[in-house]
Amino acid sequence: MRIPDTLQLEKRLSSEGMTNRVIVLEEVDSTNTYASRLARDGGTEGTVVVARNQTSGRGRHGRKWISEPRKNLTFSMILKPEVPIDRLGMIPILAGLSVAEALTAFLPNPAICKWPNDVLVGNRKICGILSESFLLEERAPVVVVGFGVNINQRSFDGELGESATSMSNVASRAYDPVIVLISILRSLSKWYDEFLRGHDLEIVNGWRSRTRMIGLPAAIMRNGEMIKGTVLDIDIDGGLLLQRSGNIVKVIGEEVSLEH
Ligand code: BTN
């Protein structure tokens, strides 16, 4: 089940009522790098860059994103929200929520959100999201949101063998990546619209309903110190709140490890 060419995919999306500009690449270093460059050069809001293969896929915290060519979805979307920059932390949250909502409709088990924007089935990661923001010269914010969704890949090497899964592993069947893409874009468009209307509480509530993190023991590393606590909630700006014995710690950028 091959991802079609640019024109065909654009037609397909438009037949579904979607107006996104689409670019399909056979191979690229990273769709996030490509989309960021495009956004600086005038690429418009809603543009979607899809690659059949990435040679240097990037993950969070400087990690690599490894995905078997032509088996999965690797794509990025350009967003140019006209909002104050202190609201941008909600974008990773709504991106993870959108994917969890979309994938759950296809799978026998629910896809759940892990802060800030991983999507898991069981305890295994099925989608990773890399959200990168910067300001254009005129100080307008750009957010490039990149999605790596494991669709038809059946085996994962090395430590991913323990921690990753795919839609086809979960459901023991193959999926058409375009149908999954359309469904994610639809969900994304709905939640991004809520964001633009300032309905952050709806997004937070949607995320809460699709996470299992609340109440779990968790730890972060901050300035070389391990901070342990219990996940209390997410804040209205997208930060994660950890309850410690005497105080509440707000997590913004650090990696959170959970004790399941
Ligand atoms: C993570 O879980 O660490 C985030 C992984 C994000 C991977 C996607 S694949 C499409 C886009 N292009 C990239 O280089 N990274 C993101």
Side-chain angles (χ1 to χ4, degrees), residues 30-32 54 57-60 65 75 125 128-130 146-148:
S30 149
T31 56
N32 261 43
Q54 288 189 129
R58 297 188 286 110
R60 295 177 66 239
W65 181 258
F75 70 98
K125 183 153 152 176
I129 299 173
L130 178 65
F147 301 80

Side-chain angles (χ1 to χ4, degrees), residues 97-183:
L97 166 61
S98 302
V99 173
E101 179 178 79
L103 298 194
T104 294
F106 291 101
L107 297 174
N109 310 322
I112 58 170
C113 298
K114 181 184 172 223
W115 188 88
N117 53 12
D118 285 345
V119 181
L120 316 180
V121 175
N123 290 333
R124 289 175 181 252
K125 183 153 152 176
I126 200 162
C127 169
I129 299 173
L130 178 65
S131 183
E132 297 180 299
S133 47
F134 56 90
L135 297 176
L136 295 174
E137 268 164 32
E138 65 277 18
R139 310 211 46 82
V142 175
V143 184
V144 169
V145 194
F147 301 80
V149 191
N150 296 331
I151 301 208
N152 291 320
Q153 181 168 342
R154 292 311 289 252
S155 61
F156 294 87
D157 291 339
E159 56 190 43
L160 288 183
E162 300 282 295
S163 60
T165 193
S166 64
M167 293 179 71
S168 63
N169 278 352
V170 170
S172 306
R173 50 158 286 202
Y175 287 90
D176 179 347
V178 174
I179 292 180
V180 179
L181 175 67
I182 288 171
S183 173

Side-chain angles (χ1 to χ4, degrees), residues 55-236:
T55 52
S56 305
R58 297 188 286 110
R60 295 177 66 239
H61 300 290
R63 288 189 291 254
K64 291 183 179 159
W65 181 258
I66 313 278
S67 173
E68 219 174 291
R70 289 167 282 279
K71 287 278 167 71
N72 300 318
L73 266 178
T74 48
F75 70 98
S76 302
M77 183 184 269
I78 298 175
L79 299 176
K80 293 188 165 177
E82 292 175 11
V83 300
I85 52 172
D86 60 2
R87 289 198 57 225
L88 298 182
M90 198 47 74
I91 291 185
I93 302 295
L94 75 84
L97 166 61
S98 302
V99 173
E101 179 178 79
L103 298 194
T104 294
F106 291 101
L107 297 174
N109 310 322
I112 58 170
C113 298
K114 181 184 172 223
W115 188 88
N117 53 12
D118 285 345
V119 181
L120 316 180
V121 175
N123 290 333
R124 289 175 181 252
K125 183 153 152 176
I126 200 162
C127 169
I129 299 173
L130 178 65
S131 183
E132 297 180 299
S133 47
F134 56 90
L135 297 176
L136 295 174
E137 268 164 32
E138 65 277 18
R139 310 211 46 82
V142 175
V143 184
V144 169
V145 194
F147 301 80
V149 191
N150 296 331
I151 301 208
N152 291 320
Q153 181 168 342
R154 292 311 289 252
S155 61
F156 294 87
D157 291 339
E159 56 190 43
L160 288 183
E162 300 282 295
S163 60
T165 193
S166 64
M167 293 179 71
S168 63
N169 278 352
V170 170
S172 306
R173 50 158 286 202
Y175 287 90
D176 179 347
V178 174
I179 292 180
V180 179
L181 175 67
I182 288 171
S183 173
I184 293 173
L185 294 181
R186 210 186 284 292
S187 192
L188 204 50
S189 148
K190 178 184 85 181
W191 287 110
Y192 184 60
D193 218 52
E194 295 284 356
F195 169 73
L196 292 180
R197 289 163 194 253
H199 296 171
D200 293 8
L201 187 59
E202 278 80 348
I203 298 169
V204 166
N205 282 337
W207 191 91
R208 283 181 181 130
S209 73
R210 291 189 187 273
T211 192
R212 304 264 165 87
M213 284 180 87
I214 294 171
L216 288 185
I220 59 161
M221 286 296 285
R222 179 171 286 173
N223 304 325
E225 188 204 345
M226 166 93 88
I227 300 181
K228 287 188 171 189
T230 303
V231 178
L232 186 64
D233 206 350
I234 54 167
D235 215 347
I236 193 68

Side-chain angles (χ1 to χ4, degrees), residues 3-11 13 19-28 30-54 73-78 178 181 185:
I3 293 174
D5 294 330
T6 297
L7 260 180
Q8 292 166 306
L9 185 56
E10 217 162 44
K11 265 196 196 153
L13 291 190
T19 53
N20 308 68
R21 185 183 167 213
V22 178
I23 299 171
V24 179
L25 304 167
E26 184 57 37
E27 186 167 278
V28 71
S30 149
T31 56
N32 261 43
T33 307
Y34 186 101
S36 296
R37 208 179 307 123
L38 186 65
R40 285 183 206 282
D41 293 345
T44 49
E45 161 126 320
T47 301
V48 178
V49 178
V50 187
R52 296 193 183 109
N53 184 31
Q54 288 189 129
L73 266 178
T74 48
F75 70 98
S76 302
M77 183 184 269
I78 298 175
V178 174
L181 175 67
L185 294 181

